[in-house]
Amino acid sequence: MNKNVIKTSQLLKQIAFVATRNFSSNVFSTKYGGKHRVLLVPGDGIGPEMMFHVKEALKAVRAPVEFEEINLNSKTASDSLIDQTVLAVKRNGVCIKGNIETDHNNPSSQSVNVALRQRLDLYANVVRCKTLPNVKTRYQDLDILIIRENTEGEYSNLEHESVCGVVESLKIITKQRSRRIAEFAFEKAQKDGRKKVTAVHKANIMKLGDGLFLSSCREIAERYPDIEFESMIVDNTCMQLVSKPQQFDVMVMPNLYGNIVANVCAGLIGGAGIVAGSNYGNNVALFEAGTRNSGRGVAGQNSANPCGMLFAAGNMLKYLGLHEHSFVLRNAVVNTIGERNIKTVDIGGTATTSEFMKHVLDEIHHHTPEIGM
């Protein structure tokens, strides 16, 4: 066949929209000229710094990714910019973002983070809390997967002051969304070869709301006889996490409990700086730090831990089907901590952010001679 015909055929394939399948939904990402296009939202606090380092790492690993950037943060947020961001995520299929702060002292201030998750129907938040070598923690060999319903519950933004001094805040639990997140959890457990799913609830008090969530989980569990299922009240869960965390494998829960439990688990493995979070919808995914903390107190000090955002970038690469790139990036971070003993202050070291990143990039360069375009 004529070489020019081959090149033309390859070019047509490269500029096509590419759709692949993930464990729970269709993975849709926009790909032009052989590169995946990803929306990048720096956010507030240390977000812009972390995104700079993400770009460094992806360039070093030679990932075929290019970014569209929207400067959405607490100062620039507006209805039109949020609309633009939602459209950009839908267009690209994938987003990586820093946390956007919410003014909790202003009753009229709505969370931009929640608005994005709800409008994009990013119903599943996944946080993996796994101990790292050479990070001193109370417990070793932990590997817990927290799966959180991301669109309703206490985050429904339905509250009002019925009379002066009396506020009513509505918690919404639906059967459809409870079954959806339960099915996501069991599919994820099955795909990853995990053995047990724990549903976290407060059905002893909220008998209708959390009762519906729990019964929905039980219904889905019957379809997965090879996976052990248990339920646990949220307050007991927190106690068990700090006393015997090894008993947990996959945990699924409503929105607010997921926020609390994920932060407890992050503390067990070394803190907010080393945990990544992933948010999945039917055709979109958003990657961010696991604890959704802006890190405003350490912004601009060259001391923030970039591990969580680098792991988030690794999760993003895996989602895009770039498994080798993801593997190298994650291993570079782990080796920097475990083998080179380079750690930021929050996990017991003395390295600055830039010093840590220098070693991460060096690790990447040692392991990516044949990866890339």
Side-chain angles (χ1 to χ4, degrees), residues 127-130 142-147 185-197 226-228 248-251:
V127 175
R128 184 182 184 185
C129 291
K130 180 178 172 62
L142 298 182
D143 188 359
I144 304 172
L145 204 63
I146 300 103
I147 297 177
F186 277 94
E187 284 191 17
K188 178 66 173 167
Q190 187 176 69
K191 177 181 180 292
D192 291 358
R194 290 179 178 259
K195 305 301 183 185
K196 183 171 72 170
V197 172
D226 296 334
I227 299 175
E228 179 185 352
F248 295 106
D249 191 1
V250 177
M251 308 175 75

Side-chain angles (χ1 to χ4, degrees), residues 239-273:
M239 182 186 72
Q240 295 293 331
L241 276 170
V242 298
S243 58
K244 193 181 177 183
Q246 298 89 347
Q247 66 185 287
F248 295 106
D249 191 1
V250 177
M251 308 175 75
V252 60
M253 61 207 76
N255 212 333
L256 180 61
Y257 308 154
N259 188 14
I260 296 168
V261 168
N263 277 267
V264 172
C265 289
L268 289 174
I269 65 166

Side-chain angles (χ1 to χ4, degrees), residues 134 332 334-343 358-364 366-367:
N134 199 30
V334 172
N335 290 345
T336 296
I337 296 171
E339 297 181 6
R340 299 193 179 204
N341 195 30
I342 304 298
K343 298 182 286 186
K358 179 181 178 181
H359 286 271
V360 169
L361 296 175
D362 190 52
E363 279 284 330
I364 290 174
H366 275 84
H367 293 92

